Amino acid sequence: MSDDDFSWGPATGIGSMPGGDAREAARTVTGTFEDFPYLAELPARGPGADMIGRTIGLLVEMYAHVEPSGWRVSDRPGRDTRRARSWMGEDLDALEEFTQGYEGLLKVQAVGPWTLAAALELRGGEAVLGDPGACRDLAASLAEGLRAHLAEVRRRVPGARVALQLDEPSLTAVLSGRVRTASGYRTYRAVDRQVVESALRDIVAVNDGHGPVIVHSCAPDVPFALLRRAGAAGISFDFGLLTERDEEQIGEAVEGGTRLLVGVVESADVPLSDPAGSVMGVRTLWRRLGLDPGTLAESLVVTPSCGLAGASPAYARAALAHCVQAARSLADNPE
């Protein structure tokens, strides 16, 4: 099976939603995105529902608990890990309820190995990122956990083709040596790009043959070429953070068949423009790169600029609907 066996929907969300009601979130997401829904995340519920804690709950033979400074490695699963697993189960129950009979692409999200290594503390308080051996162990544990998690999602929604989104907002900081140590006075050494790429490739391989893998970063300077080499079928980013130096990589990605998930709708409450206006910049970029406007709809998925956890419930619903309308505008009028 190739990644083209199921069509990509024209629009989807990033992951997080406001509030704490899993059924309401699942109803909103599946009702809005009829052909590219996703497993909603509800970080407002507290530690374990946040993106780091949620992914830690998936790890195999690695555990962590919450300290004032963040998540820290533990010897055994404790209350925080159990809470993370319980909420994930609740979210999966809600998703299963609202995807009965669904056939198409379904997205689930997890934190990628490098953002996780930058956020998770070893027992001494320093990040896993500072210990190459610990980074390898963490990536291996994550791969095993994701394998089981994806199998569970496929079991619950058997008609779906499951896309895995790896959230890597810290990836650029890891590559450029800008992740601060616990003291805040130093930064961890930049990780070699080949090491970063290799670890990502191993995680991407977890979903091989089952569905596409997307890497999401809402930070500037997304390393498009590295992510494509690592096997990402799609790259999700905040369109407003693109600079001229990104444009060549964007053009290469489109011509190479990589799907671009473009964040064009603000993730915090703002007045929404007309849907066609939201994708005007995308049309302009296409013209500047000399790309065929007719490829816009097949190359892009429209999304919010980042997660919607900080938005009001009403705005979150409106923003997701706006993504669908903006994607329709691109398809109907690519010029």
Side-chain angles (χ1 to χ4, degrees):
M1 258 191 174
S2 77
D3 292 337
D4 295 324
D5 288 340
F6 276 85
S7 63
W8 295 66
T12 191
I14 299 299
S16 67
M17 295 283 285
D21 186 332
R23 291 187 75 253
E24 179 58 33
R27 181 187 290 111
T28 297
V29 167
T30 56
T32 306
F33 301 113
E34 295 178 1
D35 38 19
F36 201 172
Y38 60 95
L39 178 63
E41 304 166 357
L42 302 170
R45 293 179 296 196
D50 61 296
M51 72 176 196
I52 299 296
R54 193 176 173 82
T55 301
I56 284 168
L58 300 176
L59 297 177
V60 172
E61 295 182 359
M62 281 190 81
Y63 315 104
H65 64 279
V66 177
E67 293 275 343
S69 54
W71 286 87
R72 185 171 293 183
V73 168
S74 303
D75 292 326
R76 59 185 65 84
R79 181 184 60 190
D80 297 326
T81 302
R82 287 194 295 272
R83 188 188 293 126
R85 290 173 177 172
S86 173
W87 276 328
M88 180 67 84
E90 190 179 303
D91 295 342
L92 287 170
D93 287 345
L95 181 73
E96 183 177 2
E97 178 183 347
F98 288 99
T99 51
Q100 293 294 311
Y102 176 70
E103 294 182 353
L105 206 56
L106 169 67
K107 182 165 70 70
V108 298
Q109 304 82 221
V111 176
W114 295 107
T115 295
L116 197 58
L120 179 59
E121 299 174 357
L122 296 168
R123 289 173 183 81
E126 291 297 342
V128 168
L129 186 63
D131 182 331
C135 286
R136 287 191 293 273
D137 291 345
L138 180 62
S141 175
L142 177 62
E144 283 305 304
L146 284 174
R147 198 169 278 116
H149 178 55
L150 292 164
E152 171 72 0
V153 176
R154 290 193 297 271
R155 184 187 68 77
R156 286 173 177 262
V157 193
R161 181 139 163 93
V162 181
L164 170 63
Q165 175 180 302
L166 297 173
D167 291 321
E168 281 283 15
S170 299
L171 183 59
T172 302
V174 167
L175 288 165
S176 56
R178 289 192 280 110
V179 177
R180 295 207 166 273
T181 58
S183 69
Y185 295 120
R186 294 187 303 109
T187 56
Y188 294 103
R189 182 181 289 117
V191 181
D192 182 87
R193 296 181 81 85
Q194 287 185 314
V195 172
V196 168
E197 185 182 322
S198 175
L200 283 168
R201 189 180 295 112
D202 289 345
I203 301 293
V204 167
V206 164
N207 209 30
D208 194 29
H210 296 292
V213 176
I214 297 155
V215 180
H216 166 70
S217 174
C218 50
D221 301 320
V222 174
F224 289 93
L226 183 152
L227 296 177
R228 292 178 61 225
R229 288 196 304 271
I235 301 173
S236 170
F237 57 96
D238 180 346
F239 186 78
L241 296 179
L242 286 184
T243 64
E244 279 186 31
R245 66 175 175 269
D246 296 314
E247 292 187 2
E248 184 179 343
Q249 292 190 78
I250 292 280
E252 289 172 355
V254 170
E255 289 172 350
T258 304
R259 196 67 53 125
L260 301 179
L261 287 80
V262 291
V264 295
V265 179
E266 284 293 330
S267 56
D269 292 42
V270 295
L272 289 167
S273 68
D274 70 292
S278 295
V279 287
M280 189 70 72
V282 179
R283 289 191 180 95
T284 302
L285 174 62
W286 235 244
R287 283 197 296 272
R288 201 157 57 237
L289 292 174
L291 296 168
D292 177 4
T295 65
L296 268 168
E298 66 193 46
S299 301
L300 299 183
V301 177
V302 176
T303 74
S305 59
C306 206
L308 293 165
S312 66
Y315 179 81
R317 289 191 295 271
L320 296 183
H322 193 89
C323 289
V324 174
Q325 293 159 0
R328 192 172 296 133
S329 160
L330 270 184
D332 292 346
N333 182 22
E335 300 288 349

mmCIF file with all atom_site columns, all heavy atoms in Angstrom, residues 49-72:
data_model
loop_
_atom_site.group_PDB
_atom_site.id
_atom_site.type_symbol
_atom_site.label_atom_id
_atom_site.label_alt_id
_atom_site.label_comp_id
_atom_site.label_asym_id
_atom_site.label_entity_id
_atom_site.label_seq_id
_atom_site.pdbx_PDB_ins_code
_atom_site.Cartn_x
_atom_site.Cartn_y
_atom_site.Cartn_z
_atom_site.occupancy
_atom_site.B_iso_or_equiv
_atom_site.pdbx_formal_charge
_atom_site.auth_seq_id
_atom_site.auth_comp_id
_atom_site.auth_asym_id
_atom_site.auth_atom_id
_atom_site.pdbx_PDB_model_num
ATOM 1   N N   . ALA A 1 49 ? -2.322 15.157 30.144 1.00 0.00 ? 49 ALA A N   1
ATOM 2   C CA  . ALA A 1 49 ? -3.098 15.480 28.942 1.00 0.00 ? 49 ALA A CA  1
ATOM 3   C C   . ALA A 1 49 ? -2.310 16.431 28.052 1.00 0.00 ? 49 ALA A C   1
ATOM 4   O O   . ALA A 1 49 ? -2.673 16.646 26.896 1.00 0.00 ? 49 ALA A O   1
ATOM 5   C CB  . ALA A 1 49 ? -4.433 16.109 29.325 1.00 0.00 ? 49 ALA A CB  1
ATOM 6   N N   . ASP A 1 50 ? -1.230 17.025 28.594 1.00 0.00 ? 50 ASP A N   1
ATOM 7   C CA  . ASP A 1 50 ? -0.330 17.858 27.792 1.00 0.00 ? 50 ASP A CA  1
ATOM 8   C C   . ASP A 1 50 ? 0.404  16.982 26.775 1.00 0.00 ? 50 ASP A C   1
ATOM 9   O O   . ASP A 1 50 ? 0.492  15.765 26.938 1.00 0.00 ? 50 ASP A O   1
ATOM 10  C CB  . ASP A 1 50 ? 0.679  18.548 28.701 1.00 0.00 ? 50 ASP A CB  1
ATOM 11  C CG  . ASP A 1 50 ? 1.541  17.537 29.456 1.00 0.00 ? 50 ASP A CG  1
ATOM 12  O OD1 . ASP A 1 50 ? 0.971  16.770 30.270 1.00 0.00 ? 50 ASP A OD1 1
ATOM 13  O OD2 . ASP A 1 50 ? 2.758  17.479 29.230 1.00 0.00 ? 50 ASP A OD2 1
ATOM 14  N N   . MET A 1 51 ? 0.963  17.586 25.730 1.00 0.00 ? 51 MET A N   1
ATOM 15  C CA  . MET A 1 51 ? 1.514  16.762 24.657 1.00 0.00 ? 51 MET A CA  1
ATOM 16  C C   . MET A 1 51 ? 2.717  15.938 25.119 1.00 0.00 ? 51 MET A C   1
ATOM 17  O O   . MET A 1 51 ? 2.898  14.797 24.671 1.00 0.00 ? 51 MET A O   1
ATOM 18  C CB  . MET A 1 51 ? 1.850  17.603 23.417 1.00 0.00 ? 51 MET A CB  1
ATOM 19  C CG  . MET A 1 51 ? 3.035  18.510 23.512 1.00 0.00 ? 51 MET A CG  1
ATOM 20  S SD  . MET A 1 51 ? 3.307  19.310 21.893 1.00 0.00 ? 51 MET A SD  1
ATOM 21  C CE  . MET A 1 51 ? 4.976  19.901 22.099 1.00 0.00 ? 51 MET A CE  1
ATOM 22  N N   . ILE A 1 52 ? 3.532  16.470 26.023 1.00 0.00 ? 52 ILE A N   1
ATOM 23  C CA  . ILE A 1 52 ? 4.680  15.703 26.514 1.00 0.00 ? 52 ILE A CA  1
ATOM 24  C C   . ILE A 1 52 ? 4.196  14.526 27.369 1.00 0.00 ? 52 ILE A C   1
ATOM 25  O O   . ILE A 1 52 ? 4.586  13.368 27.145 1.00 0.00 ? 52 ILE A O   1
ATOM 26  C CB  . ILE A 1 52 ? 5.638  16.596 27.329 1.00 0.00 ? 52 ILE A CB  1
ATOM 27  C CG1 . ILE A 1 52 ? 6.201  17.737 26.449 1.00 0.00 ? 52 ILE A CG1 1
ATOM 28  C CG2 . ILE A 1 52 ? 6.783  15.758 27.916 1.00 0.00 ? 52 ILE A CG2 1
ATOM 29  C CD1 . ILE A 1 52 ? 7.053  17.288 25.289 1.00 0.00 ? 52 ILE A CD1 1
ATOM 30  N N   . GLY A 1 53 ? 3.336  14.806 28.350 1.00 0.00 ? 53 GLY A N   1
ATOM 31  C CA  . GLY A 1 53 ? 2.854  13.751 29.234 1.00 0.00 ? 53 GLY A CA  1
ATOM 32  C C   . GLY A 1 53 ? 2.089  12.676 28.488 1.00 0.00 ? 53 GLY A C   1
ATOM 33  O O   . GLY A 1 53 ? 2.187  11.483 28.795 1.00 0.00 ? 53 GLY A O   1
ATOM 34  N N   . ARG A 1 54 ? 1.325  13.098 27.496 1.00 0.00 ? 54 ARG A N   1
ATOM 35  C CA  . ARG A 1 54 ? 0.539  12.167 26.693 1.00 0.00 ? 54 ARG A CA  1
ATOM 36  C C   . ARG A 1 54 ? 1.447  11.170 25.973 1.00 0.00 ? 54 ARG A C   1
ATOM 37  O O   . ARG A 1 54 ? 1.164  9.972  25.919 1.00 0.00 ? 54 ARG A O   1
ATOM 38  C CB  . ARG A 1 54 ? -0.236 13.022 25.697 1.00 0.00 ? 54 ARG A CB  1
ATOM 39  C CG  . ARG A 1 54 ? -1.347 12.368 24.949 1.00 0.00 ? 54 ARG A CG  1
ATOM 40  C CD  . ARG A 1 54 ? -2.008 13.466 24.120 1.00 0.00 ? 54 ARG A CD  1
ATOM 41  N NE  . ARG A 1 54 ? -3.000 12.949 23.219 1.00 0.00 ? 54 ARG A NE  1
ATOM 42  C CZ  . ARG A 1 54 ? -4.243 12.665 23.565 1.00 0.00 ? 54 ARG A CZ  1
ATOM 43  N NH1 . ARG A 1 54 ? -4.625 12.840 24.807 1.00 0.00 ? 54 ARG A NH1 1
ATOM 44  N NH2 . ARG A 1 54 ? -5.107 12.198 22.674 1.00 0.00 ? 54 ARG A NH2 1
ATOM 45  N N   . THR A 1 55 ? 2.544  11.676 25.424 1.00 0.00 ? 55 THR A N   1
ATOM 46  C CA  . THR A 1 55 ? 3.480  10.802 24.713 1.00 0.00 ? 55 THR A CA  1
ATOM 47  C C   . THR A 1 55 ? 4.267  9.945  25.691 1.00 0.00 ? 55 THR A C   1
ATOM 48  O O   . THR A 1 55 ? 4.543  8.768  25.411 1.00 0.00 ? 55 THR A O   1
ATOM 49  C CB  . THR A 1 55 ? 4.413  11.637 23.826 1.00 0.00 ? 55 THR A CB  1
ATOM 50  O OG1 . THR A 1 55 ? 3.616  12.386 22.893 1.00 0.00 ? 55 THR A OG1 1
ATOM 51  C CG2 . THR A 1 55 ? 5.387  10.768 23.054 1.00 0.00 ? 55 THR A CG2 1
ATOM 52  N N   . ILE A 1 56 ? 4.624  10.484 26.853 1.00 0.00 ? 56 ILE A N   1
ATOM 53  C CA  . ILE A 1 56 ? 5.316  9.689  27.874 1.00 0.00 ? 56 ILE A CA  1
ATOM 54  C C   . ILE A 1 56 ? 4.460  8.493  28.284 1.00 0.00 ? 56 ILE A C   1
ATOM 55  O O   . ILE A 1 56 ? 4.974  7.397  28.534 1.00 0.00 ? 56 ILE A O   1
ATOM 56  C CB  . ILE A 1 56 ? 5.680  10.576 29.085 1.00 0.00 ? 56 ILE A CB  1
ATOM 57  C CG1 . ILE A 1 56 ? 6.889  11.449 28.715 1.00 0.00 ? 56 ILE A CG1 1
ATOM 58  C CG2 . ILE A 1 56 ? 5.977  9.747  30.338 1.00 0.00 ? 56 ILE A CG2 1
ATOM 59  C CD1 . ILE A 1 56 ? 7.187  12.559 29.684 1.00 0.00 ? 56 ILE A CD1 1
ATOM 60  N N   . GLY A 1 57 ? 3.132  8.680  28.298 1.00 0.00 ? 57 GLY A N   1
ATOM 61  C CA  . GLY A 1 57 ? 2.238  7.576  28.613 1.00 0.00 ? 57 GLY A CA  1
ATOM 62  C C   . GLY A 1 57 ? 2.287  6.444  27.603 1.00 0.00 ? 57 GLY A C   1
ATOM 63  O O   . GLY A 1 57 ? 1.863  5.323  27.899 1.00 0.00 ? 57 GLY A O   1
ATOM 64  N N   . LEU A 1 58 ? 2.818  6.709  26.400 1.00 0.00 ? 58 LEU A N   1
ATOM 65  C CA  . LEU A 1 58 ? 2.931  5.687  25.364 1.00 0.00 ? 58 LEU A CA  1
ATOM 66  C C   . LEU A 1 58 ? 4.242  4.908  25.439 1.00 0.00 ? 58 LEU A C   1
ATOM 67  O O   . LEU A 1 58 ? 4.366  3.849  24.816 1.00 0.00 ? 58 LEU A O   1
ATOM 68  C CB  . LEU A 1 58 ? 2.837  6.322  23.974 1.00 0.00 ? 58 LEU A CB  1
ATOM 69  C CG  . LEU A 1 58 ? 1.563  7.078  23.623 1.00 0.00 ? 58 LEU A CG  1
ATOM 70  C CD1 . LEU A 1 58 ? 1.699  7.732  22.244 1.00 0.00 ? 58 LEU A CD1 1
ATOM 71  C CD2 . LEU A 1 58 ? 0.353  6.149  23.638 1.00 0.00 ? 58 LEU A CD2 1
ATOM 72  N N   . LEU A 1 59 ? 5.232  5.428  26.175 1.00 0.00 ? 59 LEU A N   1
ATOM 73  C CA  . LEU A 1 59 ? 6.558  4.819  26.176 1.00 0.00 ? 59 LEU A CA  1
ATOM 74  C C   . LEU A 1 59 ? 6.520  3.396  26.730 1.00 0.00 ? 59 LEU A C   1
ATOM 75  O O   . LEU A 1 59 ? 5.691  3.057  27.574 1.00 0.00 ? 59 LEU A O   1
ATOM 76  C CB  . LEU A 1 59 ? 7.533  5.665  27.001 1.00 0.00 ? 59 LEU A CB  1
ATOM 77  C CG  . LEU A 1 59 ? 7.801  7.080  26.493 1.00 0.00 ? 59 LEU A CG  1
ATOM 78  C CD1 . LEU A 1 59 ? 8.736  7.820  27.442 1.00 0.00 ? 59 LEU A CD1 1
ATOM 79  C CD2 . LEU A 1 59 ? 8.387  7.060  25.072 1.00 0.00 ? 59 LEU A CD2 1
ATOM 80  N N   . VAL A 1 60 ? 7.457  2.574  26.271 1.00 0.00 ? 60 VAL A N   1
ATOM 81  C CA  . VAL A 1 60 ? 7.569  1.195  26.724 1.00 0.00 ? 60 VAL A CA  1
ATOM 82  C C   . VAL A 1 60 ? 8.797  1.076  27.636 1.00 0.00 ? 60 VAL A C   1
ATOM 83  O O   . VAL A 1 60 ? 9.909  1.439  27.243 1.00 0.00 ? 60 VAL A O   1
ATOM 84  C CB  . VAL A 1 60 ? 7.695  0.238  25.521 1.00 0.00 ? 60 VAL A CB  1
ATOM 85  C CG1 . VAL A 1 60 ? 8.001  -1.190 25.980 1.00 0.00 ? 60 VAL A CG1 1
ATOM 86  C CG2 . VAL A 1 60 ? 6.410  0.265  24.698 1.00 0.00 ? 60 VAL A CG2 1
ATOM 87  N N   . GLU A 1 61 ? 8.561  0.614  28.857 1.00 0.00 ? 61 GLU A N   1
ATOM 88  C CA  . GLU A 1 61 ? 9.620  0.409  29.856 1.00 0.00 ? 61 GLU A CA  1
ATOM 89  C C   . GLU A 1 61 ? 10.410 1.684  30.157 1.00 0.00 ? 61 GLU A C   1
ATOM 90  O O   . GLU A 1 61 ? 11.584 1.638  30.496 1.00 0.00 ? 61 GLU A O   1
ATOM 91  C CB  . GLU A 1 61 ? 10.564 -0.726 29.422 1.00 0.00 ? 61 GLU A CB  1
ATOM 92  C CG  . GLU A 1 61 ? 9.856  -2.079 29.378 1.00 0.00 ? 61 GLU A CG  1
ATOM 93  C CD  . GLU A 1 61 ? 10.773 -3.226 28.997 1.00 0.00 ? 61 GLU A CD  1
ATOM 94  O OE1 . GLU A 1 61 ? 11.972 -2.969 28.752 1.00 0.00 ? 61 GLU A OE1 1
ATOM 95  O OE2 . GLU A 1 61 ? 10.288 -4.359 28.929 1.00 0.00 ? 61 GLU A OE2 1
ATOM 96  N N   . MET A 1 62 ? 9.765  2.821  29.998 1.00 0.00 ? 62 MET A N   1
ATOM 97  C CA  . MET A 1 62 ? 10.291 4.100  30.462 1.00 0.00 ? 62 MET A CA  1
ATOM 98  C C   . MET A 1 62 ? 9.119  4.857  31.074 1.00 0.00 ? 62 MET A C   1
ATOM 99  O O   . MET A 1 62 ? 8.020  4.854  30.514 1.00 0.00 ? 62 MET A O   1
ATOM 100 C CB  . MET A 1 62 ? 10.895 4.933  29.326 1.00 0.00 ? 62 MET A CB  1
ATOM 101 C CG  . MET A 1 62 ? 12.275 4.506  28.919 1.00 0.00 ? 62 MET A CG  1
ATOM 102 S SD  . MET A 1 62 ? 13.054 5.686  27.770 1.00 0.00 ? 62 MET A SD  1
ATOM 103 C CE  . MET A 1 62 ? 13.634 6.935  28.895 1.00 0.00 ? 62 MET A CE  1
ATOM 104 N N   . TYR A 1 63 ? 9.363  5.492  32.230 1.00 0.00 ? 63 TYR A N   1
ATOM 105 C CA  . TYR A 1 63 ? 8.284  6.159  32.954 1.00 0.00 ? 63 TYR A CA  1
ATOM 106 C C   . TYR A 1 63 ? 8.758  7.538  33.396 1.00 0.00 ? 63 TYR A C   1
ATOM 107 O O   . TYR A 1 63 ? 9.951  7.817  33.445 1.00 0.00 ? 63 TYR A O   1
ATOM 108 C CB  . TYR A 1 63 ? 7.871  5.320  34.178 1.00 0.00 ? 63 TYR A CB  1
ATOM 109 C CG  . TYR A 1 63 ? 7.716  3.857  33.857 1.00 0.00 ? 63 TYR A CG  1
ATOM 110 C CD1 . TYR A 1 63 ? 8.696  2.930  34.230 1.00 0.00 ? 63 TYR A CD1 1
ATOM 111 C CD2 . TYR A 1 63 ? 6.605  3.405  33.136 1.00 0.00 ? 63 TYR A CD2 1
ATOM 112 C CE1 . TYR A 1 63 ? 8.570  1.590  33.906 1.00 0.00 ? 63 TYR A CE1 1
ATOM 113 C CE2 . TYR A 1 63 ? 6.475  2.062  32.810 1.00 0.00 ? 63 TYR A CE2 1
ATOM 114 C CZ  . TYR A 1 63 ? 7.455  1.156  33.194 1.00 0.00 ? 63 TYR A CZ  1
ATOM 115 O OH  . TYR A 1 63 ? 7.325  -0.163 32.867 1.00 0.00 ? 63 TYR A OH  1
ATOM 116 N N   . ALA A 1 64 ? 7.797  8.379  33.743 1.00 0.00 ? 64 ALA A N   1
ATOM 117 C CA  . ALA A 1 64 ? 8.161  9.717  34.205 1.00 0.00 ? 64 ALA A CA  1
ATOM 118 C C   . ALA A 1 64 ? 7.060  10.244 35.114 1.00 0.00 ? 64 ALA A C   1
ATOM 119 O O   . ALA A 1 64 ? 5.926  9.757  35.102 1.00 0.00 ? 64 ALA A O   1
ATOM 120 C CB  . ALA A 1 64 ? 8.376  10.655 33.023 1.00 0.00 ? 64 ALA A CB  1
ATOM 121 N N   . HIS A 1 65 ? 7.421  11.225 35.925 1.00 0.00 ? 65 HIS A N   1
ATOM 122 C CA  . HIS A 1 65 ? 6.454  11.894 36.796 1.00 0.00 ? 65 HIS A CA  1
ATOM 123 C C   . HIS A 1 65 ? 6.664  13.398 36.669 1.00 0.00 ? 65 HIS A C   1
ATOM 124 O O   . HIS A 1 65 ? 7.668  13.855 36.116 1.00 0.00 ? 65 HIS A O   1
ATOM 125 C CB  . HIS A 1 65 ? 6.639  11.446 38.251 1.00 0.00 ? 65 HIS A CB  1
ATOM 126 C CG  . HIS A 1 65 ? 7.971  11.840 38.814 1.00 0.00 ? 65 HIS A CG  1
ATOM 127 N ND1 . HIS A 1 65 ? 9.133  11.118 38.583 1.00 0.00 ? 65 HIS A ND1 1
ATOM 128 C CD2 . HIS A 1 65 ? 8.343  12.906 39.586 1.00 0.00 ? 65 HIS A CD2 1
ATOM 129 C CE1 . HIS A 1 65 ? 10.155 11.708 39.188 1.00 0.00 ? 65 HIS A CE1 1
ATOM 130 N NE2 . HIS A 1 65 ? 9.707  12.794 39.798 1.00 0.00 ? 65 HIS A NE2 1
ATOM 131 N N   . VAL A 1 66 ? 5.727  14.167 37.198 1.00 0.00 ? 66 VAL A N   1
ATOM 132 C CA  . VAL A 1 66 ? 5.781  15.615 37.074 1.00 0.00 ? 66 VAL A CA  1
ATOM 133 C C   . VAL A 1 66 ? 6.506  16.228 38.266 1.00 0.00 ? 66 VAL A C   1
ATOM 134 O O   . VAL A 1 66 ? 6.192  15.936 39.422 1.00 0.00 ? 66 VAL A O   1
ATOM 135 C CB  . VAL A 1 66 ? 4.360  16.214 36.965 1.00 0.00 ? 66 VAL A CB  1
ATOM 136 C CG1 . VAL A 1 66 ? 4.419  17.734 36.905 1.00 0.00 ? 66 VAL A CG1 1
ATOM 137 C CG2 . VAL A 1 66 ? 3.653  15.678 35.727 1.00 0.00 ? 66 VAL A CG2 1
ATOM 138 N N   . GLU A 1 67 ? 7.499  17.041 37.971 1.00 0.00 ? 67 GLU A N   1
ATOM 139 C CA  . GLU A 1 67 ? 8.204  17.868 38.956 1.00 0.00 ? 67 GLU A CA  1
ATOM 140 C C   . GLU A 1 67 ? 7.824  19.326 38.657 1.00 0.00 ? 67 GLU A C   1
ATOM 141 O O   . GLU A 1 67 ? 7.273  19.619 37.591 1.00 0.00 ? 67 GLU A O   1
ATOM 142 C CB  . GLU A 1 67 ? 9.722  17.696 38.797 1.00 0.00 ? 67 GLU A CB  1
ATOM 143 C CG  . GLU A 1 67 ? 10.248 16.319 39.162 1.00 0.00 ? 67 GLU A CG  1
ATOM 144 C CD  . GLU A 1 67 ? 10.509 16.203 40.650 1.00 0.00 ? 67 GLU A CD  1
ATOM 145 O OE1 . GLU A 1 67 ? 10.602 17.252 41.323 1.00 0.00 ? 67 GLU A OE1 1
ATOM 146 O OE2 . GLU A 1 67 ? 10.601 15.060 41.148 1.00 0.00 ? 67 GLU A OE2 1
ATOM 147 N N   . PRO A 1 68 ? 8.125  20.265 39.571 1.00 0.00 ? 68 PRO A N   1
ATOM 148 C CA  . PRO A 1 68 ? 7.839  21.675 39.262 1.00 0.00 ? 68 PRO A CA  1
ATOM 149 C C   . PRO A 1 68 ? 8.472  22.149 37.951 1.00 0.00 ? 68 PRO A C   1
ATOM 150 O O   . PRO A 1 68 ? 7.929  23.013 37.268 1.00 0.00 ? 68 PRO A O   1
ATOM 151 C CB  . PRO A 1 68 ? 8.433  22.413 40.463 1.00 0.00 ? 68 PRO A CB  1
ATOM 152 C CG  . PRO A 1 68 ? 8.347  21.427 41.591 1.00 0.00 ? 68 PRO A CG  1
ATOM 153 C CD  . PRO A 1 68 ? 8.608  20.086 40.954 1.00 0.00 ? 68 PRO A CD  1
ATOM 154 N N   . SER A 1 69 ? 9.613  21.550 37.588 1.00 0.00 ? 69 SER A N   1
ATOM 155 C CA  . SER A 1 69 ? 10.316 21.955 36.368 1.00 0.00 ? 69 SER A CA  1
ATOM 156 C C   . SER A 1 69 ? 9.797  21.254 35.118 1.00 0.00 ? 69 SER A C   1
ATOM 157 O O   . SER A 1 69 ? 10.161 21.618 33.997 1.00 0.00 ? 69 SER A O   1
ATOM 158 C CB  . SER A 1 69 ? 11.810 21.674 36.512 1.00 0.00 ? 69 SER A CB  1
ATOM 159 O OG  . SER A 1 69 ? 12.017 20.313 36.872 1.00 0.00 ? 69 SER A OG  1
ATOM 160 N N   . GLY A 1 70 ? 8.976  20.220 35.286 1.00 0.00 ? 70 GLY A N   1
ATOM 161 C CA  . GLY A 1 70 ? 8.465  19.494 34.127 1.00 0.00 ? 70 GLY A CA  1
ATOM 162 C C   . GLY A 1 70 ? 8.473  17.992 34.366 1.00 0.00 ? 70 GLY A C   1
ATOM 163 O O   . GLY A 1 70 ? 8.493  17.531 35.505 1.00 0.00 ? 70 GLY A O   1
ATOM 164 N N   . TRP A 1 71 ? 8.466  17.231 33.284 1.00 0.00 ? 71 TRP A N   1
ATOM 165 C CA  . TRP A 1 71 ? 8.440  15.769 33.377 1.00 0.00 ? 71 TRP A CA  1
ATOM 166 C C   . TRP A 1 71 ? 9.849  15.224 33.615 1.00 0.00 ? 71 TRP A C   1
ATOM 167 O O   . TRP A 1 71 ? 10.802 15.644 32.964 1.00 0.00 ? 71 TRP A O   1
ATOM 168 C CB  . TRP A 1 71 ? 7.863  15.170 32.104 1.00 0.00 ? 71 TRP A CB  1
ATOM 169 C CG  . TRP A 1 71 ? 6.383  15.339 32.010 1.00 0.00 ? 71 TRP A CG  1
ATOM 170 C CD1 . TRP A 1 71 ? 5.712  16.416 31.487 1.00 0.00 ? 71 TRP A CD1 1
ATOM 171 C CD2 . TRP A 1 71 ? 5.383  14.433 32.473 1.00 0.00 ? 71 TRP A CD2 1
ATOM 172 N NE1 . TRP A 1 71 ? 4.357  16.220 31.591 1.00 0.00 ? 71 TRP A NE1 1
ATOM 173 C CE2 . TRP A 1 71 ? 4.119  15.005 32.187 1.00 0.00 ? 71 TRP A CE2 1
ATOM 174 C CE3 . TRP A 1 71 ? 5.417  13.177 33.089 1.00 0.00 ? 71 TRP A CE3 1
ATOM 175 C CZ2 . TRP A 1 71 ? 2.915  14.371 32.500 1.00 0.00 ? 71 TRP A CZ2 1
ATOM 176 C CZ3 . TRP A 1 71 ? 4.226  12.546 33.390 1.00 0.00 ? 71 TRP A CZ3 1
ATOM 177 C CH2 . TRP A 1 71 ? 2.999  13.143 33.106 1.00 0.00 ? 71 TRP A CH2 1
ATOM 178 N N   . ARG A 1 72 ? 9.961  14.276 34.570 1.00 0.00 ? 72 ARG A N   1
ATOM 179 C CA  . ARG A 1 72 ? 11.263 13.704 34.928 1.00 0.00 ? 72 ARG A CA  1
ATOM 180 C C   . ARG A 1 72 ? 11.169 12.179 34.960 1.00 0.00 ? 72 ARG A C   1
ATOM 181 O O   . ARG A 1 72 ? 10.175 11.614 35.405 1.00 0.00 ? 72 ARG A O   1
ATOM 182 C CB  . ARG A 1 72 ? 11.720 14.221 36.300 1.00 0.00 ? 72 ARG A CB  1
ATOM 183 C CG  . ARG A 1 72 ? 13.119 13.759 36.685 1.00 0.00 ? 72 ARG A CG  1
ATOM 184 C CD  . ARG A 1 72 ? 13.616 14.464 37.929 1.00 0.00 ? 72 ARG A CD  1
ATOM 185 N NE  . ARG A 1 72 ? 13.827 15.894 37.689 1.00 0.00 ? 72 ARG A NE  1
ATOM 186 C CZ  . ARG A 1 72 ? 14.319 16.736 38.599 1.00 0.00 ? 72 ARG A CZ  1
ATOM 187 N NH1 . ARG A 1 72 ? 14.617 16.297 39.822 1.00 0.00 ? 72 ARG A NH1 1
ATOM 188 N NH2 . ARG A 1 72 ? 14.496 18.013 38.304 1.00 0.00 ? 72 ARG A NH2 1
#
